Each structure stands twice: as C-alpha cells, then as structure tokens.
Amino acid sequence: MQRVTVTLDDALMADLDRLIAQRGYQNRSEAIRDLTRAGIKETALDGDAEQPCVGALVYVYDHAARELAKRLTHHSHAHHHLTVSTLHVHLDHHSCLEVAVLKGQGGEVQGFASEVIAERSVRHGQLVLVPQQSDEA
C-alpha cells in the first residue's frame, strides 16, 4: 500500500465526513479508496469507444405516448446484439420503467442508450457502464 497526503478545503472535508457517516465507513481511507475506484471506473470508457463493457440502461417513459413503444422496440431490435436481458415494470397507469442489461463496445452501448433516452416521452434515463475486465489480468 502507498500512503498519500491529500489537502481538502473545509467544505469538501465536511461533505466527505457526511458521506462516511451515511455509508458507515470505518475511516476516511476506506471512503477515499471507494470514491477513487468509482472515479476511475467512470472515466475508464471515456475516449475509448472500443473498450468492452457491460451496462445497465434504466429509463422511465409514458407508455401511452403515441408510437413510443413501437419506436423503443425498433431501437432494441436494431441493437439486439447488445442486449443481454431486459426488465419491464408497470409503475402506474401512465409510466413504465425498463432496465436493459447491455454488453458490447462502449461506444456502441453509449450510442444505443443515447437514442433511447433522447426519444420524446422518455422522461428519465441513465446509463451505468462498467468496463469489462479481461481474463488475462
């Protein structure tokens, strides 16, 4: 292990201490390690469209919106090679939530997610990407 000294302003330190208390970390080092890993994971796919990844696309949409279900199905079929599994949940009379588990090259997965999230009457959407680790490590 390496020992690193970091200087943080008072406001950022207070935010970190609140996070530590909320998540039940034993100490600041554990929290900073987790935050560092998350930041590295988040940026691992930036600029590398070829990087293999897995992801979860979560979105909420108005199921009664004209032709939306048809457009979403079209997007899914056009990218069927990326989809591992999907989950569809009826939230209320007007809203549905879908979760698509995706696997492929980062650029392709991000492109598919952007198409879905940009559709009119998709109210919320978020893609979580995780770089796929090689078996050679």
Side-chain angles (χ1 to χ4, degrees), residues 34-110:
D34 278 358
L35 292 169
T36 302
R37 282 188 203 103
I40 289 170
K41 191 184 308 181
E42 185 176 319
T43 60
L45 296 166
D46 289 350
D48 188 359
E50 304 296 315
Q51 169 73 37
C53 68
V54 292
L57 172 59
V58 180
Y59 56 100
V60 175
Y61 66 94
D62 178 354
H63 82 93
R66 186 169 186 239
E67 302 285 317
L68 178 59
K70 187 177 185 177
R71 292 192 310 270
L72 292 172
T73 299
H74 174 76
H75 288 301
S76 293
H77 281 273
H79 299 89
H80 66 88
H81 59 288
L82 299 175
T83 304
V84 175
S85 182
T86 58
L87 169 69
H88 181 94
V89 179
H90 303 280
L91 297 175
D92 57 35
H93 291 296
H94 303 286
S95 300
C96 292
L97 174 134
E98 286 195 356
V99 179
V101 178
L102 307 170
K103 183 177 180 182
Q105 293 180 328
E108 240 187 322
V109 171
Q110 288 173 326

Side-chain angles (χ1 to χ4, degrees), residues 6-48:
V6 178
T7 303
L8 303 175
D9 64 46
D10 291 340
L12 186 56
M13 194 70 247
D15 289 343
L16 180 60
D17 286 338
R18 271 192 293 283
L19 177 77
I20 290 167
Q22 288 172 350
R23 294 192 180 173
Y25 286 108
Q26 296 298 311
N27 56 56
R28 289 176 175 165
S29 291
E30 287 180 15
I32 290 172
R33 277 193 293 271
D34 278 358
L35 292 169
T36 302
R37 282 188 203 103
I40 289 170
K41 191 184 308 181
E42 185 176 319
T43 60
L45 296 166
D46 289 350
D48 188 359

